[in-house]
DNA sequence: TCTGGGGTCCTAGGACCC
DNA sequence: TCTGGGGTCCTAGGACCC
């Protein structure tokens, strides 16, 4: 598909903006959204509460000005910004709101691709006709977001002839930027960017490129194709294309997508324990909780898994993981748990303290597990069914296994209102 | 009491089969 | 007495994204 026009829309300080929109107390203050919620952690950490073992998922604009950055440990963030308010994130809420943003975008084009919880790509070739039209769409989207969500929810928008360029453009001006890269400006624009600005080049790849003598996009373009392929495989060829601003990936419309629904690849949860532990019983309790959470998501989405992987991270930050395949698909928490626990027992002898435990269900397909012939299992299935109904209606905190008590990892209820008049 | 948690994709090596 | 070779599946691990 030649000469297409793409928009990349990236919400600014998204999680923090959502919380500030929902809670007037947080407005104008440096806040850092952290990665986890737990019964033992309150709504907001006070000086009397310990700093959670987490990182900053999103810093508010006020916090960024004071030096707080994404992925910084909460401990470090608090050190450089003592007034920082640490606030537990609510991924489900952010995802729900993002669905509504995407609905807004679909008012402008049916080719919308959600890329992450706060980013989407739009193909506006048909609706915009040209770059001026695309800019008008971008401004109209910005107006819609402001009208429907309030002043605090802003986005940076990039417009270009490929997805990779639209993203590079959008991320070049934050917050609230609008950057258009016309086709004949592509190379000059790319050459103003650093290698790591490209989605796909992280610290390791950048280091490997440096070893080859490539420190900018101009050098990447002129580097022999065969040598890049030798060093990075197919990925090397992709990198070279990206250095020219080319990207063959397209966006399929929601209608086309609904005809060929994609199955998720994996569903998982992991948890950093409040304290490192060498107590197998404690790890077991957390693992059981995680398995029940994963199993619930599988059942809710009508999925079964034919593989489970379990992993641990030790106090020294080294990690280990293993996976196991099932003959028959399952969405049962106890089945996941039994397998995950036997893996963990293989990986850890509990002489080294454990920091994190996690599980992931994979080899997913849509369907239901085969019904059991055994009466006891049939009863358990009915019980699970009933609990699922309760959970759908009243939320995931409505029940817990007795064996997992004191270890409940639960979400918090949503406080966000789409209307900014709170 | 420095380093979360949710994913995706790719590669490489071993087992196994024909 | 010299271990082919192609294909597929399984598993571990690494790298990236947000």
């Amino acid at each position: 598909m030649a000469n297409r026009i793409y928009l990349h829309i990236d919400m600014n300080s998204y999680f923090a903006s959502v919380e500030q929109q929902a809670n007037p107390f947080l407005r104008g203050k440096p806040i850092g959204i952290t990665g986890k919620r737990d019964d033992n952690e309150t709504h907001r950490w006070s000086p009397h509460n310990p700093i959670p073992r987490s990182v900053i998922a999103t810093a508010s604009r006020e916090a960024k000005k004071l030096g707080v950055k994404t992925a910084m440990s909460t401990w470090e963030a608090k050190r450089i910004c003592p007034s920082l308010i640490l606030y537990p994130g609510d991924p489900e809420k952010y995802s729900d709101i993002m669905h509504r943003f995407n609905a807004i975008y679909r008012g402008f084009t049916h080719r919308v691709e959600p890329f992450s919880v706060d980013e989407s790509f739009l193909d506006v070739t048909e609706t915009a006709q040209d770059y001026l039209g695309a800019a008008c769409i971008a401004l109209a989207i910005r107006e819609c977001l402001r009208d429907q969500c309030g002043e605090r929810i802003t986005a940076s928008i990039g417009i270009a002839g490929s997805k990779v360029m639209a993203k590079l453009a959008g991320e070049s001006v934050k917050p609230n930027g609008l950057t258009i890269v016309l086709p004949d400006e592509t190379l000059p624009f790319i050459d103003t960017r650093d290698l790591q600005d490209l989605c796909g080049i992280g610290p390791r790849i950048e280091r490997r490129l440096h070893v080859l003598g490539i420190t900018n996009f101009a050098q990447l373009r002129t580097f022999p194709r065969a040598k890049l392929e030798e060093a990075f495989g197919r990925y090397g060829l992709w990198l070279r294309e990206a250095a020219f601003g080319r990207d063959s990936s397209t966006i399929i419309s929601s209608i086309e997508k609904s005809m060929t629904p994609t199955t998720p690849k994996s569903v998982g949860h992991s948890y950093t324990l409040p304290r490192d532990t060498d107590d197998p019983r404690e790890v077991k309790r957390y693992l059981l909780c995680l398995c029940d959470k994963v199993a619930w998501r599988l059942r809710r989405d009508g999925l079964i898994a034919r593989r489970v992987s379990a992993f641990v991270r030790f106090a020294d930050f080294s990690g280990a993981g293993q996976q196991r395949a099932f003959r028959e698909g399952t969405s049962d928490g106890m089945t996941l748990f039994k397998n995950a626990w036997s893996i963990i027992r293989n990986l850890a002898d509990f002489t080294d303290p454990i920091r994190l435990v996690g599980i992931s269900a994979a080899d997913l397909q849509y369907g239901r597990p085969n019904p059991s012939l055994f009466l006891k299992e049939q009863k358990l299935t009915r019980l699970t069914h009933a609990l699922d109904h309760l959970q759908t209606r009243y939320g995931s905190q409505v029940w817990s296994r007795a064996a997992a008590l004191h270890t409940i990892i639960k979400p918090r209820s949503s406080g966000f209102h789409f209307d900014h008049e709170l």
Side-chain angles (χ1 to χ4, degrees), chain A residues 145-420:
Chain A
L145 289 173
R146 192 178 55 236
D147 289 349
Q148 296 193 34
C149 317
E151 294 285 339
R152 280 163 202 83
I153 306 293
T154 63
S156 284
I157 303 180
I159 303 175
S162 68
K163 284 162 71 181
V164 75
M165 279 303 295
K167 185 162 161 66
L168 201 60
E171 288 176 348
S172 66
V173 182
K174 285 183 174 183
N176 219 9
L178 172 59
T179 308
I180 304 167
V181 178
L182 298 171
D184 55 3
E185 293 170 352
T186 300
L187 296 188
F189 176 78
I190 291 179
D191 289 340
T192 65
R193 312 308 302 161
D194 293 330
L195 288 175
Q196 275 218 42
D197 292 336
L198 186 81
C199 180
I201 299 184
R204 310 277 174 123
I205 301 283
E206 189 183 41
R207 223 163 27 233
R208 284 168 61 192
L209 287 168
H210 281 183
V211 170
L212 296 174
I214 301 169
T215 57
N216 58 48
F217 288 109
Q219 290 170 341
L220 182 55
R221 282 196 295 274
T222 52
F223 198 80
R225 206 168 173 274
K227 283 192 176 173
L228 266 183
E229 191 175 11
E230 189 187 324
F232 295 97
R234 276 195 300 169
Y235 189 67
L237 301 181
W238 182 86
L239 278 176
R240 193 167 181 279
E241 287 298 292
F244 284 96
R246 298 191 289 246
D247 173 8
S248 60
S249 67
T250 55
I251 297 174
I252 59 168
S253 71
S254 42
I255 302 157
E256 290 161 336
K257 208 176 272 181
S258 68
M259 292 193 286
T260 51
T262 51
T263 314
K265 303 281 182 268
S266 64
V267 172
H269 284 295
S270 61
Y271 185 69
T272 298
L273 280 55
R275 276 168 303 279
D276 299 342
T277 181
D278 55 7
D279 180 356
R281 289 169 306 176
E282 199 180 345
V283 174
K284 208 170 172 178
R285 281 201 299 270
Y286 281 110
L287 186 68
L288 181 55
C289 255
L290 294 171
C291 289
D292 274 329
K293 276 178 77 175
V294 169
W296 153 243
R297 283 179 58 199
L298 292 175
R299 293 193 299 270
R300 184 194 63 187
D301 299 340
L303 292 162
I304 50 174
R306 293 188 56 199
R307 178 179 304 275
V308 63
S309 67
F311 43 95
V312 285
R313 180 177 288 161
F314 298 102
D316 67 0
F317 233 70
S318 64
Q322 243 174 36
Q323 44 182 277
R324 186 167 292 179
F326 307 130
R327 205 177 315 195
E328 287 195 3
T330 184
S331 57
D332 173 55
M334 200 38 97
T335 306
L336 294 179
F337 171 73
K338 282 177 184 160
N339 284 278
W341 179 240
S342 110
I343 290 172
I344 299 286
R345 290 305 303 251
N346 273 343
L347 297 172
D349 59 7
F350 294 97
T351 51
D352 296 322
I354 285 176
R355 176 189 176 88
L356 168 144
V357 59
I359 82 135
S360 176
D363 273 8
L364 305 179
Q365 61 186 79
Y366 287 107
R368 304 251 160 242
N370 289 333
S372 171
L373 297 173
F374 299 103
L375 195 61
K376 189 180 165 195
E377 286 181 19
Q378 287 172 4
K379 279 186 181 171
L380 279 174
T381 304
R382 282 205 297 276
L383 176 63
T384 306
H385 216 70
L387 290 171
D388 284 350
H389 273 299
L390 284 172
Q391 210 159 333
T392 306
R393 185 150 184 189
Y394 300 106
S396 56
Q397 305 154 48
V398 74
W399 70 274
S400 164
R401 288 182 201 271
L405 283 178
H406 312 298
T407 319
I408 304 165
I409 308 161
K410 69 173 190 183
R412 196 163 39 77
S413 64
S414 164
F416 185 84
H417 299 278
F418 213 55
D419 181 355
H420 63 286

Side-chain angles (χ1 to χ4, degrees), chain A residues 89-145:
Chain A
D90 187 343
E92 277 189 28
K93 175 165 72 178
Y94 308 140
S95 168
D96 283 349
I97 296 167
M98 197 58 203
H99 284 139
R100 294 194 251 177
F101 292 156
N102 282 311
I104 291 175
Y105 306 154
R106 284 194 194 93
F108 294 89
T109 171
H110 58 284
R111 295 189 189 274
V112 174
E113 178 186 301
F115 182 65
S116 74
V117 72
D118 66 344
E119 289 173 54
S120 296
F121 285 106
L122 280 63
D123 179 341
V124 295
T125 314
E126 275 84 26
T127 42
Q129 307 290 337
D130 56 20
Y131 280 81
L132 183 62
C136 291
I137 289 180
L139 293 172
I141 285 175
R142 181 170 284 173
E143 208 172 303
C144 274
L145 289 173

Side-chain angles (χ1 to χ4, degrees), chain A residues 50-113:
Chain A
I51 296 174
R53 299 220 295 187
S54 187
V55 297
I56 304 297
T58 309
S60 68
R61 270 175 223 181
E62 299 82 359
K64 282 178 183 164
K65 278 185 196 148
L66 295 169
V68 179
K69 293 193 169 76
T70 299
M72 188 177 263
S73 75
T74 44
W75 185 87
E76 172 74 0
K78 263 297 208 191
R79 193 182 60 77
I80 63 165
C81 178
S83 61
L84 183 72
I85 298 170
L86 295 173
Y87 201 87
D90 187 343
E92 277 189 28
K93 175 165 72 178
Y94 308 140
S95 168
D96 283 349
I97 296 167
M98 197 58 203
H99 284 139
R100 294 194 251 177
F101 292 156
N102 282 311
I104 291 175
Y105 306 154
R106 284 194 194 93
F108 294 89
T109 171
H110 58 284
R111 295 189 189 274
V112 174
E113 178 186 301

Side-chain angles (χ1 to χ4, degrees), chain A residues 37-48:
Chain A
R37 296 142 301 156
D38 184 315
D39 254 11
N40 301 321
E41 288 158 350
T42 54
H43 204 59
R44 181 165 64 91
W45 284 275
S46 72
H48 310 291

